[in-house]
Amino acid sequence: NAGVTQTPKFRVLKTGQSMTLLCAQDMNHEYMYWYRQDPGMGLRLIHYSVGEGTTAKGEVPDGYNVSRLKKQNFLLGLESAAPSQTSVYFCASNVGDSSYNEQFFGPGTRLTVL
Amino acid sequence: SQQGEEDPQALSIQEGENATMNCSYKTSINNLQWYRQNSGRGLVHLILIRSNEREKHSGRLRVTLDTSKKSSSLLITASRAADTASYFCATGMDSNYQLIWGAGTKLIIKP
């Protein structure tokens, strides 16, 4: 099992460009999450999904969109990248249905917006 | 807004010593989890303690939870170089299934 995978691992964008980050999990998890991690701060939830075809906003959703067309995939889109979106992005998944379930993380995508 | 806050922000100790990290939170929780993040990698779950538990062990890890003080501690005994990482606490609440994360403690184990 690969667990949670993310592509790409690194990306440099210019302000105003768009891109999509892909997260895939092979654990048949219902719940998937996108976080951003900035220096000196904990993870902040951007968007999440409680099942195929569903998405919801987290703590910092502005400037991002998501889609969950297939259960195993969760896509994070930046429509018009801004320097403030320079960060490391992590995808996570779990069984869901309560906060007792541990989250499984991907290796992260390091994004720089110039 | 962040729920958990770790203390200290950074900790450097000699190999073989014990490392203690603390986490404080603000509202009622139903569980608290600790995760480890090695440099440049994703987070890995270490241990979960429920709100009705006071102490839990897993190998060289010992976690305590004091709900009256809204705080938790993670003790790593007999530290090894491989324990060098950042450690994060995350709290879960009855109202939803999301976790709220602290800013982490960076632990360096010197050989």
Side-chain angles (χ1 to χ4, degrees):
Chain A
N1 285 350
V4 180
T5 59
Q6 292 182 233
T7 52
K9 289 186 170 53
F10 302 94
R11 186 73 185 268
V12 178
L13 290 178
K14 295 181 179 179
T15 297
Q17 288 184 318
S18 63
M19 76 163 294
T20 300
L21 283 68
L22 172 63
C23 174
Q25 52 94 6
D26 61 3
M27 296 173 282
N28 201 34
H29 285 165
E30 286 292 336
Y31 289 38
M32 297 185 74
Y33 311 82
W34 274 109
Y35 293 97
R36 60 177 290 172
Q37 184 179 40
D38 300 295
M41 302 184 73
L43 297 177
R44 291 186 292 169
L45 184 64
I46 303 171
H47 286 281
Y48 62 98
S49 168
V50 302
E52 182 178 313
T54 72
T55 63
K57 295 180 179 180
E59 181 186 354
V60 289
D62 294 342
Y64 305 95
N65 57 75
V66 288
S67 64
R68 183 112 181 258
L69 298 180
K70 293 182 179 180
K71 186 177 183 179
Q72 62 268 36
N73 296 337
F74 195 28
L75 279 63
L76 177 71
L78 285 73
E79 294 175 340
S80 179
S84 61
Q85 294 177 304
T86 292
S87 188
V88 181
Y89 292 85
F90 288 99
C91 176
S93 71
N94 67 1
V95 172
D97 72 41
S98 86
S99 66
Y100 291 98
N101 299 302
E102 68 174 278
Q103 294 186 9
F104 294 81
F105 282 82
T109 295
R110 185 173 294 274
L111 175 66
T112 301
V113 183
L114 302 175
Chain B
S1 60
Q2 290 184 346
Q3 164 80 307
E5 294 192 3
E6 278 98 336
D7 167 56
Q9 291 185 342
L11 179 62
S12 181
I13 61 173
Q14 293 293 140
E15 192 168 19
E17 294 181 338
N18 295 341
T20 300
M21 288 157 272
N22 303 296
C23 171
S24 60
Y25 56 91
K26 297 174 183 174
T27 61
S28 294
I29 63 172
N30 62 17
N31 77 92
L32 187 145
Q33 303 180 30
W34 286 92
Y35 287 75
R36 183 188 73 234
Q37 183 181 32
N38 291 95
S39 180
R41 310 290 285 273
L43 282 74
V44 175
H45 182 263
L46 293 176
I47 195 167
L48 179 152
I49 186 165
R50 294 175 178 251
S51 58
N52 61 354
E53 297 175 313
R54 291 297 166 258
E55 187 171 314
K56 202 163 182 179
H57 296 255
S58 178
R60 293 184 296 114
L61 305 180
R62 173 181 166 240
V63 171
T64 62
L65 179 64
D66 187 335
T67 53
S68 67
K69 294 182 179 178
K70 292 187 169 58
S71 68
S72 172
S73 67
L74 171 67
L75 168 68
I76 303 174
T77 60
S79 63
R80 305 167 180 168
D83 295 328
T84 293
S86 291
Y87 292 82
F88 294 87
C89 67
T91 52
M93 292 170 279
D94 283 325
S95 57
N96 62 59
Y97 38 77
Q98 298 173 28
L99 295 178
I100 306 299
W101 299 82
T105 292
K106 187 170 184 177
L107 175 64
I108 297 173
I109 308 299
K110 296 179 287 186

